[in-house]
Amino acid sequence: MADDAAAPVTDDGLREEVRAFLENQWTGLLQGETERKAWFAKVVEARWAVPRWPTEWMGRGLGDVQARIVESEFAAAGATGTGQDRTNLWANTLLAGGTQELKERLLLPLLRGEVGMCLLYSEPGAGSDLAGIRTRADRQIDHFLINGQKVWTSYAATADYGMLIARTDWDVPKHRGISFFFLPMKQPGVEVRPLRQITNESQFNEVFLTDAICPEENLLGELGQGWGVLQTALAYERSVMGEGARGPRSGVAESKNEEPLIALAREAGALSDPLIRQEISKVIGLKKLNALNTARAKAEMKQGTSSALMSLGKLAMSRILHEEARVRTMILGAGSLLEGPDFPRAEDANFLTLNAYFTSIGGGTDQIQRNIIGERVLGLPKEPEVDRDIPFRDVRSG
Amino acid sequence: MNSLAAEERLAFQHSTARLLADRSTEVDVRRTMETPSGYDADLWKAMADLGVVGLIIDPAYGGAGAGPVEVEVVFEEAGAALLCSPLLSSGVLAAGLLQALDDEDANLRLLPAIADGSLIATAALTGPRGTWTPGAVAVRARAEGDACRLDGRASFVTHAHVADVLLVAANAADGLAIFEVEARAAGVAVTPAPTFDHTLRIAEVAFDGAPARRISTSRPAWDAVEEALSLARVALAGEQAGGGRRVLEFTVDYAKTRLQFGRAIGSYQAIKHMAADLLLESESATSAARHAAAQLAASASDAKAAVELAAFACADAFVKICADAIQMHGGIAFTWNHPAHLYLRRARSDAQLFGAAAFHRERYVCELEAAHG
């Protein structure tokens, strides 16, 4: 991304230009997928989708300060589509590591939202230890042959491409033998099976890869350098995560503008119970503290000081979700024995109890998160890793 | 409420931090906490000269004219340094109460001397139940011609043993009011109580026909008490946040250098995970304390809720950080010579002063209910 010097436009001039575009083109709320795609195409065409990117890829080479001006103008108008140079995980990863050929083919469609994507990272044998993947990519004359199994893949059934990490070298230590690919999903070697979760829903899939074909030009970064590409991708992913998890799914709201736990306790006739009030107070307090931490982190980032707070949000959110579900259950008492649409409160408490693990396990378990905070924020030494410097072929697994 | 400009605030913070780094070291704290007065008179003078003692006092009465935000910042430093001082009693609680009551004569008589440190005042607001609620007040006032006399007891009165003036909540014929009492007058018996936190001083005060002067106010007296208590709770929250941060720092440092089984103990997840959890506690306490100060300074509609949240969140966080820090250190922190227990003692005391965590949690829910209905 270029610095401000590459864009000889004044802040005011830029602001005027964005406003003019929005005034002429933005018509308000978008109805449905077709209108959304059409709008995104316009934003890309007008070079507002990725203003920080270089001009050759529909960017403007703006610095962060000016790009934020663009974003704030879009936000003020309620318009979407800009800021993708921060938030579009797929396009940013491709720009950073893709071949010229792949970028020419996919960058613009990705920005226009025309390409379905999914993540092929985790495996049954590689969860917290992601570098321990055993899916293999074997080089053929002009393509790679992929064999293995991936798991926890959202949108696998509809995706056009999956961002895949696979092992291409088994004779070097684990981090150094991994490569990163854009794998075409719509081919016979890719089989997608929905995974039934503890919540009795299926948002994730298992993906079985059997002699799946990945063209050579779909390799991102150098062969064996996939771990580095992955870190770039994960950084983009994390920057848009932590927006919070899903709320109750019954759709039967307790109250529009009251704290949900207070409303629930009132409805259940438990609001005068001093023990319940203490528990409610703790949970609402935790939520508020997390919001305050986030606000302080943003303020500190604006001042240019790096903030320890950002890495704490996910851990805090795990605790909040588990605690909130526990207190909901406590408020309902025996009512939580039930489930189903006739018992929406029980449905919510029980769903939230189970779905809390989505946050405390998904995207790195709380335990891994504590390692990261301990090591990267507090500077505590790492645990010795017994598999770090030996060929992956000799690493124990299971 | 008042606030200073950001540069001025930073200057207060830095000069306080420098002064305390120099004059409130662990050695100083250990020496001072064993003295009968429990504070260092020279340091007190230096703090007064710096403007910290009269921080919240209106410039018209010789103070710096600052508010909750500056109080919070200064107390973060005081908490980190385990400062032994009547600053909370005199500079925050008593001065805050006088300004909330706003009796011009009393202000002129007392605030300038409080600001320059020559007079130490404290507030006696609760009886033996120690709940800091109007119902717990155990002092009665009776009129005697133009004068008043007080009878009864006040408990948990911070720094009463070194105070020159006591501001006493007492029930009069026409309701609760605040009275000014000379601490050394006849009919006033100040009995220092042994404290678990040796850096703190509290006393039981018995009144037996003690001569008193009623402080006039245009508002219900307990409203003024609550306003002063809010400021004191923000100060405590800052102290708890600052103290917790300091304890976490030296605990993490220790975990990096203490070796067992050939490795730094901080490399073990058993220790590392505790440290990560404590960082969340510490940062949340800091956020809560600063937010409460900011909302109070802005007289925001959710200021009360913010203060209640800070009161229980910071109290719980400081206790947890100190308690876990001792466990993480192991045997060395079970010794008197290690500072960890001094902080735990402070944390457990701070968690009771001006209302315990459960009390504030209940009031927090009440605030949220009130905000809705």
Side-chain angles (χ1 to χ4, degrees):
Chain A
M1 290 174 211
D3 57 15
D4 273 333
V9 54
T10 66
D11 292 359
D12 288 341
L14 182 70
R15 197 172 276 116
E16 263 174 46
E17 200 184 336
V18 191
R19 281 184 188 169
F21 168 76
L22 290 167
E23 259 166 45
N24 290 331
Q25 303 291 335
W26 176 245
T27 53
L29 271 182
L30 302 168
Q31 308 281 346
E33 195 63 1
T34 317
E35 279 191 26
R36 196 183 69 88
K37 279 184 184 167
W39 168 249
F40 271 58
K42 263 186 205 169
V43 176
V44 173
E45 185 63 27
R47 295 182 176 272
W48 295 122
V50 284
R52 292 173 186 81
W53 279 16
T55 46
E56 59 170 313
W57 298 112
M58 300 311 277
R60 290 169 177 259
L62 294 189
D64 192 57
V65 174
Q66 291 202 322
R68 296 266 170 194
I69 293 175
V70 177
E71 288 176 26
S72 72
E73 288 301 323
F74 266 67
T80 50
T82 190
Q84 292 196 56
D85 38 19
R86 285 191 303 112
T87 59
N88 192 322
L89 156 70
W90 325 103
N92 283 296
T93 307
L94 178 57
L95 180 77
T99 57
Q100 184 72 12
E101 197 174 344
L102 196 62
K103 285 197 273 198
E104 278 169 11
R105 182 141 45 88
L106 286 180
L107 264 187
L108 295 190
L110 279 170
L111 294 178
R112 292 194 293 253
E114 294 165 358
V115 188
M117 295 292 301
C118 66
L119 297 173
L120 301 169
Y121 295 165
S122 297
E123 297 179 7
S128 292
D129 179 16
L130 194 55
I133 52 160
R134 289 181 172 267
T135 290
R136 55 190 311 135
D138 295 302
R139 186 161 215 160
Q140 309 298 309
I141 293 163
D142 61 349
H143 65 272
F144 290 86
L145 217 47
I146 317 288
N147 282 282
Q149 184 186 344
K150 294 288 176 178
V151 73
W152 305 122
T153 306
S154 312
Y155 311 111
T158 54
D160 299 300
Y161 292 87
M163 293 211 304
L164 166 78
I165 49 171
R167 191 162 302 280
T168 44
D169 189 345
W170 299 69
D171 296 316
V172 293
K174 62 179 183 178
H175 292 93
R176 285 187 249 151
I178 295 170
S179 300
F180 196 107
F181 302 91
F182 262 52
L183 177 72
M185 291 292 285
K186 292 182 172 154
Q187 59 168 313
V190 176
E191 188 197 346
V192 177
R193 289 187 210 158
L195 195 66
R196 191 172 174 186
Q197 298 156 213
I198 56 174
T199 55
N200 208 4
E201 300 168 305
S202 292
Q203 292 147 327
F204 296 106
N205 302 279
E206 294 178 286
V207 179
F208 295 84
L209 304 165
T210 312
D211 286 342
I213 288 168
C214 189
E216 195 169 33
E217 66 271 19
N218 288 24
L219 172 71
L220 271 73
E222 299 297 315
L223 199 65
Q225 302 292 311
W227 189 252
V229 181
L230 177 69
Q231 297 315 306
T232 309
L234 289 177
Y236 281 110
E237 194 177 343
R238 287 196 195 107
S239 75
V240 292
M241 266 176 65
E243 243 92 291
R246 295 158 64 199
R249 69 173 169 185
S250 71
V252 186
E254 290 97 358
S255 163
K256 283 233 180 308
N257 46 12
E258 190 169 28
E259 281 288 344
L261 283 179
I262 293 179
L264 180 66
R266 190 192 304 285
E267 185 184 288
L271 192 55
S272 59
D273 181 332
L275 187 58
I276 297 266
R277 292 175 70 84
Q278 288 286 309
E279 296 295 326
I280 288 175
S281 191
K282 283 184 208 168
V283 173
I284 298 177
L286 286 176
K287 289 167 104 164
K288 180 71 181 175
L289 291 175
N290 192 40
L292 293 176
N293 282 344
T294 306
R296 194 154 65 84
K298 283 185 179 161
E300 287 181 6
M301 303 259 281
K302 245 181 216 163
Q303 291 172 3
T305 43
S306 74
S307 178
L309 289 159
M310 287 309 267
S311 56
L312 293 169
K314 183 170 181 292
L315 194 59
M317 188 52 77
S318 290
R319 180 172 169 199
I320 289 165
L321 294 170
H322 281 285
E323 284 292 291
E324 175 164 10
R326 183 181 65 77
V327 173
R328 276 177 180 268
T329 306
M330 188 178 174
I331 291 168
L332 295 179
S336 66
L337 288 166
L338 308 170
E339 72 170 12
D342 290 343
F343 304 100
R345 302 293 177 251
E347 181 77 8
D348 288 341
N350 293 328
F351 166 73
L352 290 171
T353 300
L354 296 173
N355 204 53
Y357 293 99
F358 178 94
T359 298
S360 64
I361 295 176
T365 63
D366 284 358
Q367 286 64 39
I368 291 293
Q369 201 61 26
R370 288 189 180 97
N371 282 352
I372 291 172
I373 293 164
E375 289 161 17
R376 298 193 197 157
V377 181
L378 294 174
L380 292 168
K382 285 171 82 79
E383 296 248 8
E385 289 168 80
V386 295
D387 61 352
R388 183 133 197 124
D389 295 316
I390 58 174
F392 187 73
R393 169 175 313 288
D394 300 331
V395 171
R396 293 175 61 199
S397 75
Chain B
M1 288 197 189
N2 297 326
S3 278
L4 298 181
E7 314 83 72
E8 238 181 315
R9 180 182 308 148
L10 267 179
F12 263 114
Q13 183 178 8
H14 290 157
S15 52
T16 306
R18 268 201 308 276
L19 182 65
L20 298 187
D22 190 34
R23 309 271 293 271
S24 180
T25 64
E26 187 186 339
V27 171
D28 296 322
V29 168
R30 285 180 184 271
R31 187 188 61 245
T32 307
M33 76 183 191
E34 301 301 342
T35 62
S37 74
Y39 77 102
D40 175 341
D42 291 339
L43 178 55
W44 180 249
K45 179 78 172 60
M47 287 168 56
D49 292 346
L50 211 57
V52 170
V53 175
L55 194 61
I56 62 154
I57 293 174
D58 194 291
Y61 306 114
V69 175
E70 292 75 22
V71 165
E72 193 278 335
V73 161
V74 162
F75 272 81
E76 281 190 29
E77 303 298 337
L82 270 181
L83 174 67
C84 304
S85 152
L87 183 61
L88 181 63
S89 304
S90 193
V92 178
L93 190 57
L97 181 54
L98 284 169
Q99 294 193 142
L101 292 162
D102 202 20
D103 175 332
E104 178 68 22
D105 289 343
N107 286 353
L108 279 169
R109 197 162 57 239
L110 298 172
L111 287 176
I114 292 177
D116 69 20
S118 58
L119 181 144
I120 292 176
T122 189
L125 302 174
T126 195
R129 276 169 55 208
T131 55
W132 284 272
T133 52
V137 169
V139 181
R140 293 169 316 282
R142 57 189 152 92
E144 207 181 70
D146 278 351
C148 297
R149 292 200 179 269
L150 301 187
D151 299 287
R153 297 160 66 190
S155 304
F156 312 107
V157 186
T158 56
H159 290 99
H161 72 305
V162 294
D164 304 295
V165 167
L166 308 173
L167 303 176
V168 184
N171 291 304
D174 57 343
L176 191 140
I178 304 299
F179 296 84
E180 174 190 342
V181 176
E182 299 291 333
R184 286 177 263 290
V188 180
V190 176
T191 311
T195 45
F196 174 69
D197 172 9
H198 292 199
T199 68
L200 174 72
R201 291 290 183 276
I202 59 177
E204 179 89 8
V205 184
F207 302 95
D208 183 11
R213 201 189 309 224
R214 182 170 175 149
I215 299 178
S216 70
T217 184
S218 58
R219 59 198 291 204
W222 195 263
D223 285 1
V225 171
E226 278 292 341
E227 189 178 317
L229 282 174
S230 287
L231 200 59
R233 285 167 182 144
V234 164
L236 268 186
E239 174 165 302
Q240 290 159 332
R245 197 157 57 235
R246 176 65 58 85
V247 172
L248 179 58
E249 268 168 25
F250 71 65
T251 303
V252 167
D253 285 347
Y254 183 70
K256 288 177 187 172
T257 51
R258 167 73 173 172
L259 305 177
Q260 289 288 278
F261 305 100
R263 290 159 56 182
I265 60 169
S267 69
Y268 293 101
Q269 294 184 348
I271 297 295
K272 188 179 291 170
H273 288 192
M274 288 176 91
D277 285 337
L278 294 189
L279 180 65
L280 179 55
E281 295 291 334
S282 173
E283 292 295 334
S284 299
T286 303
S287 295
R290 292 181 186 172
H291 177 68
Q295 298 309 89
L296 198 59
S299 305
S301 62
D302 67 344
K304 269 181 152 175
V307 172
E308 300 299 341
L309 173 62
F312 72 78
C314 298
D316 288 347
F318 193 21
V319 170
K320 181 171 172 52
I321 290 168
C322 294
D324 283 2
I326 292 178
Q327 186 65 30
M328 291 162 77
H329 277 86
I332 188 68
F334 193 66
T335 65
W336 187 265
N337 285 342
H338 194 278
H341 75 103
L342 300 180
Y343 284 93
L344 179 63
R345 287 166 187 270
R346 173 69 70 91
R348 291 184 74 247
S349 298
D350 281 358
Q352 298 299 332
L353 280 181
F354 314 138
F359 169 77
H360 293 298
R361 275 195 289 271
E362 170 59 32
R363 297 220 309 188
Y364 184 53
V365 175
C366 290
E367 282 301 316
L368 297 174
E369 285 178 271
H372 172 65

